[in-house]
Every structure is written in structure tokens, then in C-alpha cells.
Amino acid sequence: VIPVLYRFHVTGYSPPVALLANLDQMALYDYLARMPLSDDVSILLFDYQGNCITSLLRDEHEAFVNGELNREHLPALMSGGADFVTIRSGKEEYWLDYSPLETAPWSVIYLRTKSSVYGKLSDYLVSFILLNALLAVIIFAAVMGITKKLTQPLSILSGLMAKAGEEKYELDIPFRGNNEIG
């Protein structure tokens, strides 16, 4: 159970009013687990003192959060000076995105690695290139088909004229249209 104390003023009532709510930590965890997030994001919920209330950690982030992410980094995030912090740990860079909650004295930290973001971007780039290549092939085939259909009467006429040049004058000319070829 996580106790949360809210202090506020009620109009017409002079002393400040306090509301104590006991929240179920597992319910908060379940709420975080239902959030539609990318599969490479971890979420951590901290109080204003930097204590972790609950978290939804990916396996690849667990060692970093338990070892590297400590009380030195949290005040820098929670001071309000920066909404985004990069922390290097070994060969990996961790990106932390900080967001205070308006409804509680808590903060949410979204954690992901630089390599996972760049990996997704490279996947999107490959998909984009393949899709554009497929579209180029389709457009090329369509243009070739239209061009062949439009120039086919000229090719037939050219073949007939070549036979006429060989003095074969009994030709059936299939063009009866009212256009240039006819």
C-alpha cells in the first residue's frame, strides 16, 4: 500500500483540508503494464524524494536501473532543469525522459536505450526503401504497359509498311479509326 496525502483548501472552510488515500502498489503496476508502449521502454514511478514507487522494467534495463541509475541522477531529472537526460553505462547509452504528474507528487521516467531507438529507425528505413523500390517497379511496369498499348498500333503499321516495301501489296490494314494511324 502506498499512502498519498493531498492538502487543499475548500472555499468557505478556513483550515486546510487533507485527504489520505492508500493506493495498491500492484494496481499501479497493472496500470503501467496496460499502457500502450513500445516493447523497448521501461517505466519508473518515483515520489518527490526520489523513491521508486513502482516500475515496469524490461529485462535489458534491470541491471542499469538497479546499479547505475541512482540518487545522483534522479535529482538532476526531477529538478525541472531537463526533461531528457542521457546516461552512459558501459557501451550503451540510456535515454531517460522525465515527466512530472499533475495529479500526484510523483514523476514518471521513461527509459530506453539509444541502440533500440536507432534499431527501430533502421528497421523503418529498410521498410521505407523496400516499399519505395516496390512502388518504383509497379510504376515502371504500368508506364511500360501503357507505352506499349499506345505505341502498338505504330509498331503494327511499321511492320505492314516494311512488307509493302518488299512489294507485298495485298495487305490487310486493321486500322479504321479516325486518328493519325487510321
Side-chain angles (χ1 to χ4, degrees), residues 49-50 70-81:
Q49 295 173 332
N70 54 36
R71 294 194 182 251
E72 295 173 16
H73 299 106
L74 295 175
L77 273 172
M78 299 173 137
S79 67

Side-chain angles (χ1 to χ4, degrees), residues 14-109:
S14 63
V17 178
L19 174 68
L20 177 64
N22 290 321
L23 303 176
D24 182 6
Q25 187 176 18
M26 285 307 296
L28 286 173
Y29 178 82
D30 291 341
Y31 176 75
L32 292 178
R34 286 192 310 268
M35 291 179 75
L37 293 172
S38 178
D39 60 349
D40 65 337
V41 175
S42 289
I43 304 174
L44 298 105
L45 188 62
F46 287 93
D47 65 9
Y48 67 94
Q49 295 173 332
N51 300 314
C52 185
I53 296 169
T54 190
S55 63
L56 178 64
L57 287 179
R58 305 292 175 208
D59 293 337
E60 60 269 17
H61 299 153
E62 201 165 328
F64 170 74
V65 170
N66 293 332
E68 300 283 329
L69 183 65
N70 54 36
R71 294 194 182 251
E72 295 173 16
H73 299 106
L74 295 175
L77 273 172
M78 299 173 137
S79 67
D83 294 338
F84 183 82
V85 173
T86 301
I87 300 173
R88 188 168 221 21
S89 175
K91 295 180 181 179
E92 189 65 74
E93 280 189 35
Y94 291 88
W95 290 353
L96 286 80
D97 187 14
Y98 164 79
S99 178
L101 296 177
E102 294 179 12
T103 57
W106 298 338
S107 302
V108 178
I109 295 177

Side-chain angles (χ1 to χ4, degrees), residues 152-165:
Q152 188 176 17
L154 285 176
S155 297
I156 294 171
L157 183 60
S158 175
L160 291 173
M161 291 299 109
K163 287 182 182 178

Side-chain angles (χ1 to χ4, degrees), residues 100-161:
L101 296 177
E102 294 179 12
T103 57
W106 298 338
S107 302
V108 178
I109 295 177
Y110 300 95
L111 170 69
R112 64 180 3 164
T113 60
K114 179 181 175 181
S115 62
S116 70
V117 173
Y118 284 177
K120 285 183 184 249
L121 287 176
S122 68
D123 290 345
Y124 292 143
L125 180 63
V126 168
S127 299
F128 179 75
I129 289 171
L130 290 175
L131 180 63
N132 280 330
L134 178 64
L135 286 174
V137 167
I138 290 171
I139 290 171
F140 180 75
V143 167
M144 292 303 292
I146 292 170
T147 303
K148 184 176 181 177
K149 182 151 179 78
L150 291 175
T151 60
Q152 188 176 17
L154 285 176
S155 297
I156 294 171
L157 183 60
S158 175
L160 291 173
M161 291 299 109

